[in-house]
Amino acid sequence: MVNAGSERPLEGFRIGVTAARKAEEQVTLLERRGASVVLAPALSMDPNRVDDTALRASTEEVLGQRIDMLLATTGIGMKAWLEKASEWGLAQRLVDRLADAEILARGPKSVGALRRFGLRELWAPESESFDDVLEHLRGRDLTGKRIVVQEHGQSLSIVAHALRRQGAEVVSVVVYRVEPAADPGPMFGMVELIAARELDAVTFTSAPAIAALMQVAGSMGLRDQVIAAFQADVVASCVGPVAAAAFDMWGVPTIWPADRYRLVAMVNQLECELPSRRAGLSIELVGGHQLLLHGDEVLLDGTEVRLSPAPLAVLHSLVANPGNVVSRQALLAMLPSGTAGSEHAVEMAVARLRAALGTRAIQTVVKRGYRLAIA
């Protein structure tokens, strides 16, 4: 990609920020790079309020019987749970009980919180995706296993149901719930700006923020316009793949930093991404081939490549995430109306895209999806 090479590479770009926590830090990072920022917190400034009564009851339930497995989903959740247990004089009992269990952690923050209290995970996915945790357990006989699921800010009732179908007994521990912003006015304004394509990008640091924005868009009758804007002109920038996955069901292409899923990395990616898109996106593919996109115009090594709507839609989605895996479900949602009947339509679109760009340009990642093979 082409970097603007300026001390203010985001000069002339208007970016929406949906964060509540660390919003000021993010706004400062963007404004230092020249961006005009619209702030509209999607969630409460205090989204992680703990319900002491409910959490203590769940803790007593956990301590009342054996634990065969713990699924730790968030660092802040595990930390808050164990700190509350300390206040109640139950921490050592809880740690001892959890130490005897098979512990699976969703990501490095969960791992860090566990190790702070002397607990060690047996396994954690590189992706930080809870779907990969479930995939890790799929096929195992969980009959009679007592599994504790530490929920993040949103309900994991579907996860619990999936585990029960494998024979497990599931205890859900709700440490906190994510609440919407107390004043929804700015978010309504943000939705209008996105629908009118008056923003160049919108940043998201959590999946609940995406859910909140789409809920507001639906209540305003603007959901289709918002989705169309994200698919064409407005970049949906996410802090990592876990947040980005919340857009899959809407067919919204997203970008996120491939190396580090952190705030600064997200902003750094935008300072390269937005100027390069405005100038025309240039990507070096494996084998030294140069791919240039400007709107719907596609050039490969300087020669125009004509693509029908379905493979072009797949290309735009893969280009939005160069080097990252895009699921078949997400690609299916991106296909033009009338062509998205099944995942076979995705396979056909990918086959046509490979025929146009070369078979090595699009890599298949078994059981996960496809990615653009960049140099």
Side-chain angles (χ1 to χ4, degrees), residues 242-313:
V242 176
F247 266 135
D248 283 356
M249 66 182 291
W250 305 109
V252 170
T254 56
I255 65 170
W256 69 86
D259 50 350
R260 297 183 304 154
Y261 312 139
R262 296 293 179 266
L263 185 61
V264 173
M266 179 180 68
V267 173
N268 287 343
Q269 184 183 42
L270 274 177
E271 75 175 52
C272 296
E273 187 78 17
L274 292 181
S276 67
R277 287 189 181 216
R278 182 168 289 180
L281 186 63
S282 178
I283 297 176
E284 186 177 352
L285 301 177
V286 292
H289 299 290
Q290 200 71 27
L291 183 68
L292 178 66
L293 288 86
H294 200 290
D296 288 344
E297 184 180 13
V298 180
L299 298 176
L300 181 65
D301 296 333
T303 301
E304 184 178 3
V305 176
R306 294 188 178 276
L307 296 172
S308 58
L312 182 62

Side-chain angles (χ1 to χ4, degrees), residues 173-189:
V173 176
V174 180
V175 182
Y176 61 88
R177 279 281 182 253
V178 172
E179 300 292 338
D183 178 9
M187 181 52 62
F188 276 74

Side-chain angles (χ1 to χ4, degrees), residues 4-343:
S6 166
E7 292 183 4
R8 293 170 63 83
L10 294 177
E11 188 84 53
F13 292 97
R14 197 178 186 196
I15 299 175
V17 171
T18 62
R21 293 176 65 246
K22 297 187 176 181
E24 184 176 342
E25 177 185 350
Q26 187 179 157
V27 169
T28 299
L29 287 169
L30 290 167
E31 288 181 340
R32 282 177 182 169
R33 290 159 171 79
S36 172
V37 179
V38 177
L39 176 62
L43 306 175
S44 166
M45 290 295 291
D46 184 20
N48 302 328
R49 186 176 293 109
V50 177
D51 183 335
D52 284 28
T53 302
L55 181 57
R56 178 150 191 175
S58 296
T59 303
E60 296 283 4
E61 182 181 3
V62 169
L63 291 173
Q65 301 181 48
R66 78 181 193 285
I67 300 173
D68 297 303
M69 185 181 299
L70 167 69
L71 305 187
T73 65
T74 64
I76 193 171
M78 285 304 306
K79 179 174 176 286
W81 184 18
L82 290 162
E83 286 179 348
K84 283 295 180 181
S86 295
E87 292 179 16
W88 304 326
L90 300 175
Q92 194 57 55
R93 285 180 59 198
L94 181 59
V95 168
D96 289 345
R97 184 59 56 91
L98 296 176
D100 291 333
E102 177 183 352
I103 299 177
L104 306 183
R106 180 175 66 86
K109 292 184 179 179
S110 303
V111 168
L114 290 164
R115 293 186 180 182
R116 176 179 174 184
F117 289 87
L119 297 168
R120 295 193 68 86
E121 78 290 349
L122 182 65
W123 181 84
E126 292 184 6
S127 65
E128 300 187 36
S129 169
F130 203 72
D131 288 344
D132 285 345
V133 176
L134 291 180
E135 181 65 30
H136 181 73
L137 292 174
R138 201 161 288 130
R140 283 181 55 175
D141 182 7
L142 300 178
T143 303
K145 298 290 186 182
R146 190 164 187 260
I147 300 177
V148 173
V149 179
Q150 173 258 313
E151 292 196 356
H152 50 56
Q154 294 178 301
S155 172
L156 292 177
S157 58
I158 294 177
V159 170
H161 183 72
L163 294 172
R164 290 187 181 108
R165 285 174 61 87
Q166 288 181 241
E169 176 188 348
V170 180
V171 179
S172 295
V173 176
V174 180
V175 182
Y176 61 88
R177 279 281 182 253
V178 172
E179 300 292 338
D183 178 9
M187 181 52 62
F188 276 74
M190 174 84 78
V191 167
E192 289 177 337
L193 290 173
I194 296 169
R197 308 191 184 193
E198 294 182 10
L199 296 174
D200 295 291
V202 182
T203 64
F204 299 92
T205 55
S206 70
I210 293 169
L213 180 137
M214 297 305 288
Q215 183 176 9
V216 170
S219 73
M220 298 173 70
L222 294 175
R223 186 175 289 157
D224 288 346
Q225 292 93 318
V226 165
I227 292 172
F230 277 132
Q231 289 176 337
D233 299 317
V234 183
V235 176
S237 173
C238 298
V239 77
V242 176
F247 266 135
D248 283 356
M249 66 182 291
W250 305 109
V252 170
T254 56
I255 65 170
W256 69 86
D259 50 350
R260 297 183 304 154
Y261 312 139
R262 296 293 179 266
L263 185 61
V264 173
M266 179 180 68
V267 173
N268 287 343
Q269 184 183 42
L270 274 177
E271 75 175 52
C272 296
E273 187 78 17
L274 292 181
S276 67
R277 287 189 181 216
R278 182 168 289 180
L281 186 63
S282 178
I283 297 176
E284 186 177 352
L285 301 177
V286 292
H289 299 290
Q290 200 71 27
L291 183 68
L292 178 66
L293 288 86
H294 200 290
D296 288 344
E297 184 180 13
V298 180
L299 298 176
L300 181 65
D301 296 333
T303 301
E304 184 178 3
V305 176
R306 294 188 178 276
L307 296 172
S308 58
L312 182 62
V314 169
L315 178 60
H316 277 299
S317 187
L318 295 175
V319 163
N321 303 275
N324 292 321
V325 178
V326 182
S327 69
R328 287 181 176 83
Q329 181 183 8
L331 292 174
L332 180 62
M334 284 292 294
L335 294 184
S337 176
T339 64
S342 69
E343 288 191 3

